[in-house]
Amino acid sequence: MPRYAYDGRIFVIQSDNEAQSALRALESYKLLGFDTETRPTFRKGEHHKPALLQVASDDFCFLFRLNHISRIDAIANLFANPDITKVGLSIKDDIHALHRYAPFEPAACVELQRMALDLGIDDQSLQKLYANVFGKRISKNAQLSNWEADVLTDAQKTYAATDAVCCIHLYRKFLEMAENRNYTIIPQSI
């Protein structure tokens, strides 16, 4: 399959002032894709807070370095805003992780895994959903990288932005599929 990687504008947000500007820009959008990244753990019982929150619009993707920003409450307000639809995959885990920074009541958050199941699609990973729906593969090579590194690599930035943008693509396609029912589920061979 051909590979899909986001090649649009990516902005790394590392300060409270940058976060405020980014959040003001996001307020004008009605649909956002999101995901979080956490430094992987390789020891039993070890846990980390999410280090990165990626939020994408149709025009750009912001990568919020949560371990560099002190005012997470403003970001939490975005997730509590009922006027902006936020779409993601495994959002229960992401929202739970974000609650470790600031409490908020999520509003207008859409779970793509639920949408997939409602359409009869059993696959639940972003990689499989994107491949089956769009016929393109997305790389997960950077998934286990150090998201708390002082500087994110270009590969990490592209990976993170791609995950958030793919959520928007899948959401729109799932809405279209639900509306016109012009698709076929092909059962997996045993």
Side-chain angles (χ1 to χ4, degrees), residues 38-43 46 48 143-148:
T38 302
R39 187 177 95 189
T41 59
F42 300 103
R43 292 188 195 117
E46 183 179 44
H48 301 284
Q143 184 174 23
L144 295 178
S145 61
N146 182 4
W147 295 100
E148 293 179 5

Side-chain angles (χ1 to χ4, degrees), residues 38-109:
T38 302
R39 187 177 95 189
T41 59
F42 300 103
R43 292 188 195 117
K44 188 176 180 178
E46 183 179 44
H47 301 283
H48 301 284
K49 286 183 176 180
L52 188 74
L53 167 66
Q54 54 267 43
V55 181
S57 69
D58 286 321
D59 300 316
F60 45 74
C61 184
F62 289 121
L63 306 181
F64 293 90
R65 303 287 313 270
L66 298 175
N67 52 337
H68 293 266
I69 299 170
S70 63
R71 298 249 1 256
I72 304 299
D73 56 323
I75 294 171
N77 290 338
L78 172 69
F79 284 89
N81 186 335
D83 298 324
I84 301 172
T85 301
K86 285 81 56 183
V87 296
L89 204 74
S90 296
I91 63 172
K92 180 180 176 184
D93 296 335
D94 289 332
I95 289 172
H96 177 73
L98 291 172
H99 277 149
R100 294 177 72 188
Y101 285 104
F104 62 94
E105 188 63 40
C109 293

